[in-house]
Amino acid sequence: MIRPVLSDARRRILTAAASVALLVGTIAVMYRRIMYPPVPRLGEDRIRVAAVGDSNTYGAGVLFRGRARRAYPGRLQRILGDRYQVLNYGVNRRTLQRDGDWPYDETPHAAASLASQPDIALIMLGSNDARGDNWNPERYASELADFAERYRARGATVFLLTPPVAFENRRGVDERIIASEVAPLVRRVASDLHIDLIDVFEVTARTVTSHRDGIHLGARSSALVAATVAGAIRLSRRTPTPTP
């Protein structure tokens, strides 16, 4: 009489354990795909635009709302049209500074964005440099200049983007450092190197009153950034030809 009861209980335990293991495995796969998205595939005979950045380029603020379409690079693709290919090289949590806690340079996307031989490079890194103990203004300015020059050396038209405005948040990103130090340094480096500037901070600070979590662009603000970037590309003095 006892053995069948114990056997049934054991089966239930094993079934529950298997379900938990499957759930944990699924979550792990999803987390890895979110934190380390696939490197974009390259097309031919189109003007190649490499959108390089952190979670605001990746689209963390619209993660479960059609990220590929609603992140700013996806919206930019629709605005620019089929003559362009906008490649999203955004990776979550990443810093520009190589001594930061999660450096962008350590991702496959850093090398892939250069190897793609982009006609246009959009660089928006800096929000996570204002997180915790990451911030070092001298190092940030120096490394941003070096970072931009990598793409210029490969023939890309480079645009430096200030990070968007940030608000109080629980992720350790200091919104005051972004406003008073990161954004001004991006402007200064762009001026020093005679690189086109897209002042995402100024545009979002003027029109956006909040982000859902304090730092990530939502659907409306992503659309605003995409429209701003598209306008800057179209007004640029240098019109690239499609990459064969």
Side-chain angles (χ1 to χ4, degrees):
M1 294 294 293
I2 295 177
R3 284 184 179 177
V5 173
L6 289 176
S7 180
D8 288 344
R10 185 177 181 183
R11 280 196 296 271
R12 286 196 295 271
I13 291 171
L14 290 174
T15 300
S19 299
V20 169
L22 179 62
L23 178 61
V24 169
T26 301
I27 291 173
V29 170
M30 290 178 62
Y31 176 80
R32 182 166 182 81
R33 191 170 182 85
I34 290 170
M35 292 301 294
Y36 306 101
V39 172
R41 294 182 179 180
L42 304 180
E44 295 182 355
D45 299 324
R46 299 164 77 185
I47 297 172
R48 207 169 279 166
V49 182
V52 176
D54 52 32
S55 51
N56 274 318
T57 297
Y58 168 81
V62 289
L63 180 59
F64 300 110
R65 301 180 63 188
R67 178 186 72 84
R69 293 180 297 105
R70 296 197 175 191
Y72 104 75
R75 291 181 178 273
L76 179 64
Q77 176 68 74
R78 294 201 299 280
I79 295 171
L80 294 178
D82 292 339
R83 185 168 173 243
Y84 292 78
Q85 182 186 22
V86 182
L87 302 158
N88 189 338
Y89 289 105
V91 185
N92 289 307
R93 298 191 67 180
R94 297 295 162 165
T95 65
L96 171 81
Q97 296 172 96
R98 290 185 291 273
D99 286 339
D101 50 3
W102 292 72
Y104 185 81
D105 262 348
E106 292 183 357
T107 70
H109 294 63
S113 64
L114 283 169
S116 71
Q117 295 288 347
D119 302 295
I120 297 171
L122 307 171
I123 299 170
M124 187 168 73
L125 285 162
S127 293
N128 294 309
D129 293 86
R131 183 181 62 229
D133 296 327
N134 285 332
W135 184 239
N136 182 309
E138 293 79 15
R139 188 170 62 209
Y140 176 82
S142 174
E143 292 190 19
L144 179 60
D146 291 343
F147 195 84
E149 289 291 7
R150 296 183 201 174
Y151 294 89
R152 283 218 296 195
R154 296 192 176 220
T157 297
V158 176
F159 292 81
L160 288 184
L161 283 63
T162 55
V165 64
F167 303 94
E168 185 176 354
N169 61 88
R170 297 182 179 180
R171 297 175 183 266
V173 174
D174 192 321
E175 66 271 26
R176 290 176 294 276
I177 290 179
I178 290 177
S180 63
E181 299 190 59
V182 180
L185 281 176
V186 175
R187 297 179 189 121
R188 193 191 82 192
V189 171
S191 176
D192 290 346
L193 297 181
H194 305 289
I195 287 176
D196 289 305
L197 172 74
I198 302 176
D199 204 331
V200 172
F201 181 90
E202 192 275 333
V203 170
T204 52
R206 190 175 66 242
T207 58
V208 178
T209 57
S210 66
H211 303 308
R212 180 170 294 184
D213 62 0
I215 57 173
H216 287 126
L217 296 168
R220 176 178 168 272
S221 48
S222 293
L224 174 66
V225 171
T228 302
V229 173
I233 290 174
R234 286 168 172 166
L235 288 173
S236 175
R237 296 182 300 275
R238 296 171 293 278
T239 302
T241 55
T243 298

